[in-house]
Amino acid sequence: MTNSPALATLVARCQAALESSDPRTEVVAALEDLVANPAELLEQLGTPGLDGPATGIDETIHEDDLLTVMICHTRPGLDQPPHDHRMQAIIGGYDGVERHRFFTRTDSGLERVGTRDLAAGQVIALPDDAVHAIAATNGQWCRAVHVSGRGQPVDAPA
């Protein structure tokens, strides 16, 4: 999977976006292009790890000081705990539905403030202060490409 021409193109576009005046918009566009035909992308990338760990499988496609690109294969029934990335995360779905539950921090802990389902072919851009949790819905695996910055938000070029 990591040798996919489509993923190599995505990584190159994301790296170029970090040098642009509007990295967030360019990364969103790159992911929209990648997941525009989700069935074709799924066929190209395959479905590794169907017998993997209870939480699913995360495959790191690219990782350096400024950019991480991963594919998250989320097992049906997963109900991930809330977490934050402390940086922007931009996610493109290409198989199943990845449910994002959003939370806000309050004096008494986390309060749930919303939900959004990310279907195959859709992209969501999370702000750097987002607290979310994901789940695979409808008893099916979901697969999505997650792009995030490391050490700084995606929209802050070096």
Side-chain angles (χ1 to χ4, degrees):
M1 169 179 303
T2 57
N3 294 328
S4 161
L7 293 176
T9 298
L10 173 70
V11 169
R13 286 182 67 184
C14 290
Q15 288 173 318
L18 293 175
E19 302 299 323
S20 76
S21 62
D22 191 1
R24 180 181 172 95
T25 298
E26 291 190 30
V27 170
V28 167
L31 272 172
E32 287 173 340
D33 290 346
L34 179 73
V35 302
N37 187 337
E40 183 179 295
L41 185 62
L42 178 62
E43 183 176 325
Q44 182 182 121
L45 300 180
T47 57
L50 293 178
D51 59 348
T55 57
I57 295 103
D58 293 339
E59 294 182 84
T60 302
I61 304 306
H62 174 86
E63 185 173 37
D64 64 28
D65 289 344
L66 299 177
L67 179 70
T68 298
V69 178
M70 299 178 68
I71 296 181
C72 297
H73 305 267
T74 305
R75 181 179 288 282
L78 171 73
D79 193 10
Q80 187 184 75
H83 64 278
D84 60 7
H85 297 272
R86 298 186 183 195
M87 62 187 73
Q88 289 185 6
I90 303 171
I91 304 163
Y94 69 93
D95 186 33
V97 177
E98 188 176 85
R99 176 161 290 156
H100 290 259
R101 293 168 290 134
F102 295 98
F103 300 83
T104 189
R105 295 184 191 284
T106 68
D107 290 340
S108 58
L110 294 176
E111 178 182 319
R112 189 166 167 180
V113 294
T115 302
R116 173 157 176 216
D117 286 348
L118 180 70
Q122 296 180 332
V123 172
I124 185 173
L126 306 179
D128 61 358
D129 62 348
V131 178
H132 75 136
I134 65 170
T137 66
N138 303 326
Q140 299 174 333
W141 281 82
C142 66
R143 292 173 177 78
V145 179
H146 292 233
V147 176
S148 61
R150 289 179 48 86
Q152 63 181 354
V154 169
D155 66 354

